[in-house]
Amino acid sequence: RAWTEFGEATTNHYAIRGTVDEMVAEIRAFAGLGVDHLAVWFDATAPDELVSLMDRFAREVAPQVET
């Protein structure tokens, strides 16, 4: 499971974060190590915000790393 954030780091914990291209590169690095499943965790508790982040990830990041 990986904490996932769009944009600049706001905390000092590990996360897949950054621009879409940076996130894609990070996920591809995991795939290069043999990881074939990744659970992502978004820092949102409000349902609308969580759905928005999940939709963005599904639309912008996931299609570039799906095999």
Side-chain angles (χ1 to χ4, degrees):
R1 177 173 63 168
W3 192 306
T4 307
E5 298 175 343
F6 288 94
E8 295 292 321
T10 57
T11 59
N12 62 358
H13 62 272
Y14 172 78
I16 294 173
R17 66 167 56 98
T19 66
V20 170
D21 289 339
E22 291 167 335
M23 294 171 114
V24 167
E26 185 83 11
I27 294 168
R28 286 183 177 157
F30 279 114
L33 295 171
V35 173
D36 59 4
H37 288 82
L38 182 65
V40 295
W41 174 26
F42 299 96
D43 187 25
T45 55
D48 290 347
E49 183 183 4
L50 181 57
V51 169
S52 176
L53 291 168
M54 291 169 36
D55 284 345
R56 182 176 180 192
F57 187 89
R59 196 176 53 249
E60 298 179 25
V61 179
Q64 296 187 60
V65 294
E66 291 177 350
T67 57

XYZ file of all heavy atoms in Angstrom:
525
model
N 0.855 -1.166 0.000
C 0.000 0.000 0.000
C 0.893 1.218 0.000
O 1.850 1.290 0.754
C -0.897 -0.028 1.230
C -1.759 1.191 1.347
C -2.739 1.069 2.463
N -2.048 0.955 3.741
C -2.643 1.069 4.901
N -3.933 1.251 4.956
N -1.965 0.970 6.008
N 0.580 2.178 -0.848
C 1.396 3.387 -0.952
C 0.522 4.625 -0.831
O -0.487 4.754 -1.517
C 2.135 3.423 -2.279
N 0.915 5.515 0.053
C 0.275 6.803 0.164
C 0.469 7.503 -1.171
O 1.547 7.467 -1.750
C 0.948 7.593 1.266
C 0.238 8.828 1.706
C -0.179 9.865 0.916
C -0.120 9.168 3.036
N -0.757 10.828 1.674
C -0.744 10.425 2.987
C 0.028 8.548 4.255
C -1.217 11.065 4.122
C -0.440 9.192 5.383
C -1.060 10.427 5.302
N -0.558 8.150 -1.686
C -0.508 8.739 -3.016
C -0.972 10.188 -2.960
O -2.049 10.474 -2.464
C -1.398 7.932 -3.986
O -1.022 6.558 -3.906
C -1.244 8.413 -5.402
N -0.140 11.097 -3.448
C -0.451 12.527 -3.423
C -0.101 13.166 -4.757
O 0.984 12.936 -5.281
C 0.361 13.247 -2.341
C 0.109 12.790 -0.933
C 1.029 13.458 0.078
O 2.065 14.022 -0.331
O 0.701 13.408 1.261
N -0.988 13.972 -5.281
C -0.678 14.779 -6.454
C 0.010 16.052 -5.977
O -0.382 16.634 -4.975
C -1.952 15.143 -7.224
C -2.562 13.990 -7.964
C -3.556 13.225 -7.392
C -2.118 13.651 -9.234
C -4.120 12.159 -8.061
C -2.664 12.582 -9.911
C -3.672 11.836 -9.326
N 1.058 16.472 -6.668
C 1.712 17.735 -6.354
C 2.907 17.589 -5.436
O 3.453 16.515 -5.249
N 3.312 18.708 -4.858
C 4.490 18.794 -3.997
C 4.295 18.035 -2.695
O 3.172 17.883 -2.221
C 4.793 20.260 -3.678
C 5.180 21.091 -4.877
C 6.515 20.705 -5.471
O 7.449 20.398 -4.712
O 6.609 20.701 -6.705
N 5.407 17.615 -2.115
C 5.366 16.932 -0.825
C 4.835 17.882 0.245
O 5.276 19.015 0.352
C 6.756 16.451 -0.448
N 3.887 17.399 1.019
C 3.343 18.193 2.119
C 3.687 17.577 3.464
O 3.429 18.170 4.495
C 1.811 18.323 1.999
O 1.242 17.015 1.969
C 1.431 19.081 0.738
N 4.262 16.390 3.442
C 4.654 15.694 4.665
C 5.994 15.021 4.406
O 6.470 14.956 3.272
C 3.616 14.633 5.063
O 3.487 13.706 3.998
C 2.271 15.267 5.354
N 6.576 14.451 5.446
C 7.883 13.828 5.271
C 7.813 12.306 5.164
O 8.833 11.655 5.196
C 8.822 14.237 6.412
C 8.308 13.780 7.755
O 7.246 13.202 7.861
N 9.066 14.077 8.792
N 6.626 11.737 5.042
C 6.515 10.292 4.889
C 6.635 9.905 3.413
O 6.444 10.737 2.532
C 5.184 9.786 5.462
C 3.994 10.360 4.769
N 3.430 11.547 5.169
C 3.285 9.942 3.696
C 2.413 11.818 4.367
N 2.315 10.865 3.460
N 6.941 8.624 3.172
C 7.040 8.158 1.797
C 5.678 8.198 1.140
O 4.665 7.859 1.755
C 7.579 6.714 1.720
C 7.488 6.210 0.315
C 8.424 6.598 -0.629
C 6.419 5.437 -0.103
C 8.313 6.210 -1.943
C 6.302 5.037 -1.422
C 7.251 5.431 -2.341
O 7.118 5.058 -3.647
N 5.652 8.587 -0.093
C 4.416 8.569 -0.877
C 4.784 8.530 -2.352
O 5.859 8.980 -2.749
C 3.565 9.804 -0.596
N 3.905 7.983 -3.141
C 3.988 8.163 -4.588
C 3.380 9.536 -4.808
O 2.190 9.737 -4.591
C 3.196 7.076 -5.333
C 3.833 5.709 -5.100
C 3.114 7.396 -6.823
C 3.041 4.554 -5.660
N 4.202 10.487 -5.191
C 3.703 11.854 -5.297
C 4.391 12.578 -6.438
O 5.384 12.134 -6.967
C 3.911 12.613 -3.991
C 5.359 12.844 -3.632
C 5.548 13.854 -2.504
N 4.855 13.571 -1.285
C 5.385 12.979 -0.209
N 6.630 12.579 -0.247
N 4.677 12.803 0.867
N 3.815 13.711 -6.774
C 4.402 14.566 -7.792
C 3.466 14.762 -8.955
O 2.249 14.627 -8.835
N 4.063 15.044 -10.089
C 3.273 15.199 -11.310
C 2.812 13.820 -11.755
O 3.298 12.793 -11.262
C 4.118 15.822 -12.433
O 5.156 14.886 -12.784
C 4.733 17.156 -12.020
N 1.923 13.803 -12.698
C 1.467 12.518 -13.239
C 2.650 11.729 -13.781
O 2.796 10.530 -13.507
C 0.384 12.738 -14.321
C 0.087 11.451 -15.059
C -0.883 13.313 -13.698
N 3.545 12.376 -14.515
C 4.706 11.677 -15.072
C 5.610 11.126 -13.976
O 6.150 10.021 -14.107
C 5.508 12.610 -15.985
C 4.790 12.909 -17.289
O 3.889 12.127 -17.683
O 5.121 13.924 -17.926
N 5.775 11.868 -12.888
C 6.596 11.380 -11.771
C 5.949 10.183 -11.090
O 6.626 9.221 -10.711
C 6.840 12.509 -10.769
C 7.750 13.600 -11.312
C 7.761 14.859 -10.475
O 6.777 15.140 -9.758
O 8.778 15.588 -10.544
N 4.634 10.237 -10.942
C 3.923 9.111 -10.336
C 4.034 7.870 -11.214
O 4.270 6.760 -10.725
C 2.458 9.467 -10.107
C 2.254 10.555 -9.089
S 0.550 11.102 -9.066
C 0.083 10.559 -7.436
N 3.873 8.045 -12.506
C 3.986 6.929 -13.445
C 5.380 6.315 -13.367
O 5.534 5.092 -13.311
C 3.652 7.383 -14.888
C 4.055 6.340 -15.916
C 2.167 7.715 -15.002
N 6.410 7.146 -13.324
C 7.784 6.647 -13.234
C 7.991 5.843 -11.951
O 8.638 4.791 -11.967
C 8.773 7.813 -13.311
N 7.450 6.327 -10.847
C 7.582 5.631 -9.564
C 6.898 4.258 -9.612
O 7.445 3.256 -9.177
C 6.974 6.489 -8.460
C 7.153 5.936 -7.084
C 8.495 6.269 -6.464
O 9.220 7.114 -7.019
O 8.809 5.674 -5.436
N 5.705 4.228 -10.163
C 4.971 2.956 -10.260
C 5.683 2.004 -11.210
O 5.773 0.797 -10.943
C 3.517 3.213 -10.684
C 2.793 3.993 -9.564
C 2.793 1.909 -10.991
C 1.457 4.566 -9.959
N 6.216 2.519 -12.299
C 6.971 1.659 -13.223
C 8.229 1.102 -12.552
O 8.638 -0.022 -12.844
C 7.320 2.423 -14.487
C 6.119 2.614 -15.387
C 6.479 3.318 -16.675
N 5.312 3.408 -17.541
C 5.170 4.300 -18.496
N 6.133 5.185 -18.730
N 4.076 4.318 -19.231
N 8.835 1.877 -11.662
C 10.003 1.378 -10.931
C 9.611 0.193 -10.052
O 10.340 -0.796 -9.973
C 10.616 2.495 -10.087
N 8.458 0.289 -9.401
C 7.961 -0.852 -8.626
C 7.729 -2.056 -9.540
O 8.086 -3.181 -9.200
C 6.649 -0.508 -7.908
C 6.819 0.247 -6.631
C 6.374 1.552 -6.515
C 7.397 -0.355 -5.524
C 6.495 2.253 -5.330
C 7.536 0.330 -4.327
C 7.082 1.635 -4.234
N 7.128 -1.820 -10.690
C 6.870 -2.918 -11.638
C 8.179 -3.559 -12.081
O 8.260 -4.781 -12.228
C 6.090 -2.400 -12.849
N 9.211 -2.743 -12.267
C 10.509 -3.264 -12.651
C 11.123 -4.175 -11.600
O 11.971 -5.019 -11.905
N 10.672 -4.020 -10.371
C 11.140 -4.878 -9.278
C 10.273 -6.119 -9.113
O 10.509 -6.930 -8.230
C 11.145 -4.090 -7.957
C 12.120 -2.933 -7.898
C 11.877 -2.098 -6.649
C 13.555 -3.437 -7.938
N 9.252 -6.238 -9.960
C 8.392 -7.409 -9.908
C 7.056 -7.196 -9.217
O 6.264 -8.128 -9.105
N 6.786 -5.987 -8.752
C 5.501 -5.713 -8.110
C 4.417 -5.708 -9.185
O 4.537 -5.008 -10.187
C 5.532 -4.351 -7.372
C 4.155 -3.978 -6.843
C 6.556 -4.384 -6.257
N 3.371 -6.518 -8.978
C 2.308 -6.550 -9.982
C 0.956 -6.109 -9.421
O -0.033 -6.080 -10.136
C 2.202 -7.917 -10.647
C 1.923 -9.043 -9.680
O 1.723 -8.784 -8.485
O 1.901 -10.195 -10.126
N 0.911 -5.754 -8.149
C -0.291 -5.186 -7.540
C 0.139 -4.041 -6.622
O 1.129 -4.170 -5.906
C -1.044 -6.224 -6.706
C -1.737 -7.242 -7.529
N -1.088 -8.345 -8.046
C -3.019 -7.332 -7.936
C -1.950 -9.066 -8.727
N -3.124 -8.477 -8.675
N -0.600 -2.986 -6.659
C -0.281 -1.833 -5.825
C -1.582 -1.261 -5.274
O -2.500 -0.950 -6.037
C 0.449 -0.767 -6.652
C 0.891 0.485 -5.937
C 1.959 0.161 -4.890
C 1.438 1.502 -6.923
N -1.684 -1.161 -3.978
C -2.829 -0.520 -3.336
C -2.440 0.919 -3.037
O -1.388 1.166 -2.454
C -3.197 -1.250 -2.053
N -3.255 1.842 -3.456
C -2.953 3.249 -3.222
C -3.879 3.805 -2.146
O -5.011 3.354 -1.976
C -3.054 4.090 -4.516
C -1.993 3.666 -5.515
C -4.425 3.986 -5.142
N -3.374 4.777 -1.413
C -4.102 5.396 -0.317
C -4.046 6.897 -0.532
O -2.974 7.477 -0.628
C -3.464 5.002 1.007
C -4.023 5.670 2.211
C -5.279 6.187 2.372
C -3.340 5.888 3.436
N -5.416 6.712 3.621
C -4.233 6.535 4.308
C -2.066 5.605 3.894
C -3.892 6.899 5.588
C -1.735 5.962 5.181
C -2.643 6.592 6.009
N -5.197 7.514 -0.620
C -5.278 8.960 -0.817
C -5.599 9.633 0.507
O -6.412 9.139 1.283
C -6.361 9.294 -1.849
C -6.090 8.703 -3.198
C -6.657 7.498 -3.569
C -5.247 9.343 -4.082
C -6.400 6.941 -4.808
C -4.980 8.795 -5.325
C -5.556 7.594 -5.689
N -4.961 10.763 0.776
C -5.154 11.488 2.030
C -6.396 12.362 1.935
O -6.310 13.583 1.788
C -3.917 12.323 2.347
C -3.990 12.956 3.724
O -4.700 12.407 4.587
O -3.334 13.988 3.928
N -7.539 11.717 1.995
C -8.805 12.446 1.956
C -9.821 11.666 2.778
O -9.824 10.433 2.758
C -9.289 12.591 0.518
N -10.642 12.377 3.501
C -11.694 11.714 4.265
C -13.083 12.109 3.772
O -14.028 11.358 3.948
C -11.576 12.024 5.767
O -11.577 13.433 5.956
C -10.300 11.427 6.341
N -13.183 13.271 3.152
C -14.465 13.695 2.594
C -14.754 12.849 1.353
O -13.901 12.739 0.461
C -14.434 15.169 2.235
N -15.919 12.229 1.279
C -16.225 11.352 0.152
C -16.029 12.001 -1.217
O -15.447 11.388 -2.110
C -17.693 10.965 0.386
C -17.858 11.060 1.872
C -16.997 12.227 2.277
N -16.485 13.231 -1.392
C -16.349 13.899 -2.695
C -14.887 14.090 -3.076
O -14.511 13.910 -4.232
C -17.061 15.253 -2.697
C -18.576 15.110 -2.653
O -19.083 13.989 -2.872
O -19.249 16.130 -2.400
N -14.068 14.472 -2.105
C -12.641 14.673 -2.370
C -11.957 13.348 -2.698
O -11.154 13.271 -3.626
C -11.964 15.327 -1.172
C -10.502 15.625 -1.399
C -9.822 16.220 -0.178
O -10.442 16.347 0.890
O -8.631 16.566 -0.314
N -12.293 12.302 -1.957
C -11.709 10.991 -2.212
C -12.078 10.484 -3.602
O -11.219 10.016 -4.352
C -12.157 9.999 -1.140
C -11.604 8.584 -1.257
C -10.077 8.585 -1.249
C -12.156 7.722 -0.132
N -13.328 10.604 -3.963
C -13.774 10.178 -5.294
C -13.066 10.979 -6.378
O -12.638 10.432 -7.397
C -15.309 10.285 -5.425
C -15.749 10.116 -6.871
C -15.988 9.244 -4.541
N -12.897 12.276 -6.153
C -12.204 13.118 -7.128
C -10.755 12.669 -7.332
O -10.281 12.570 -8.474
C -12.247 14.577 -6.670
O -11.517 15.397 -7.546
N -10.049 12.376 -6.236
C -8.661 11.915 -6.339
C -8.582 10.551 -7.021
O -7.710 10.311 -7.858
C -8.017 11.859 -4.955
C -7.756 13.208 -4.288
C -7.384 13.010 -2.821
C -6.674 13.967 -5.029
N -9.493 9.659 -6.659
C -9.508 8.330 -7.284
C -9.803 8.434 -8.778
O -9.163 7.766 -9.593
C -10.541 7.446 -6.586
C -10.126 7.080 -5.178
S -11.391 6.294 -4.139
C -12.298 5.276 -5.239
N -10.761 9.274 -9.143
C -11.078 9.467 -10.561
C -9.888 10.029 -11.320
O -9.580 9.585 -12.428
C -12.277 10.404 -10.731
C -13.609 9.750 -10.425
O -13.666 8.500 -10.359
O -14.599 10.491 -10.252
N -9.205 10.995 -10.719
C -8.040 11.590 -11.388
C -6.949 10.550 -11.591
O -6.358 10.461 -12.671
C -7.503 12.770 -10.573
C -6.332 13.429 -11.248
C -5.848 14.646 -10.514
N -4.714 15.207 -11.236
C -3.920 16.136 -10.743
N -4.154 16.653 -9.553
N -2.892 16.562 -11.453
N -6.683 9.755 -10.558
C -5.676 8.703 -10.669
C -6.065 7.706 -11.761
O -5.233 7.329 -12.599
C -5.509 7.992 -9.320
C -4.384 7.016 -9.290
C -3.107 7.417 -8.940
C -4.594 5.678 -9.612
C -2.061 6.515 -8.908
C -3.555 4.768 -9.580
C -2.284 5.189 -9.236
N -7.311 7.305 -11.774
C -7.802 6.343 -12.771
C -7.729 6.902 -14.183
O -7.478 6.174 -15.152
C -9.232 5.925 -12.435
N -7.934 8.184 -14.324
C -7.964 8.833 -15.634
C -6.560 9.176 -16.144
O -6.261 8.994 -17.328
C -8.812 10.100 -15.505
C -9.284 10.726 -16.753
C -10.209 11.936 -16.494
N -9.601 12.930 -15.597
C -10.005 13.186 -14.354
N -10.999 12.534 -13.805
N -9.395 14.116 -13.631
N -5.682 9.653 -15.242
C -4.394 10.200 -15.685
C -3.192 9.300 -15.448
O -2.232 9.346 -16.215
C -4.144 11.543 -14.981
C -5.187 12.602 -15.309
C -4.934 13.917 -14.598
O -3.772 14.211 -14.246
O -5.905 14.670 -14.377
N -3.227 8.503 -14.401
C -2.055 7.696 -14.040
C -2.221 6.241 -14.459
O -1.375 5.688 -15.169
C -1.765 7.795 -12.523
C -0.561 6.939 -12.152
C -1.528 9.248 -12.106
N -3.279 5.610 -14.021
C -3.467 4.172 -14.247
C -3.336 3.736 -15.709
O -2.677 2.730 -15.994
C -4.796 3.701 -13.657
N -3.923 4.460 -16.659
C -3.805 4.008 -18.044
C -2.352 3.920 -18.554
O -2.052 3.161 -19.462
C -4.588 5.054 -18.845
C -5.531 5.641 -17.870
C -4.794 5.629 -16.551
N -1.469 4.700 -17.933
C -0.070 4.703 -18.379
C 0.761 3.570 -17.782
O 1.873 3.331 -18.235
C 0.584 6.051 -18.027
C -0.052 7.220 -18.751
C 0.723 8.476 -18.514
O 1.910 8.553 -18.848
N 0.075 9.488 -17.943
N 0.224 2.908 -16.770
C 0.998 1.841 -16.128
C 0.305 0.481 -16.208
O 0.893 -0.515 -15.807
C 1.318 2.184 -14.656
C 2.240 3.378 -14.589
C 0.064 2.409 -13.837
N -0.910 0.431 -16.698
C -1.601 -0.854 -16.814
C -0.922 -1.705 -17.882
O -0.474 -1.209 -18.904
C -3.063 -0.633 -17.176
C -3.859 -0.012 -16.053
C -5.300 0.281 -16.431
O -5.647 0.174 -17.630
O -6.060 0.633 -15.537
N -0.869 -2.995 -17.581
C -0.255 -3.915 -18.551
C -1.260 -4.909 -19.050
O -2.285 -5.104 -18.492
C 0.919 -4.660 -17.924
O 0.458 -5.359 -16.765
C 2.044 -3.721 -17.558
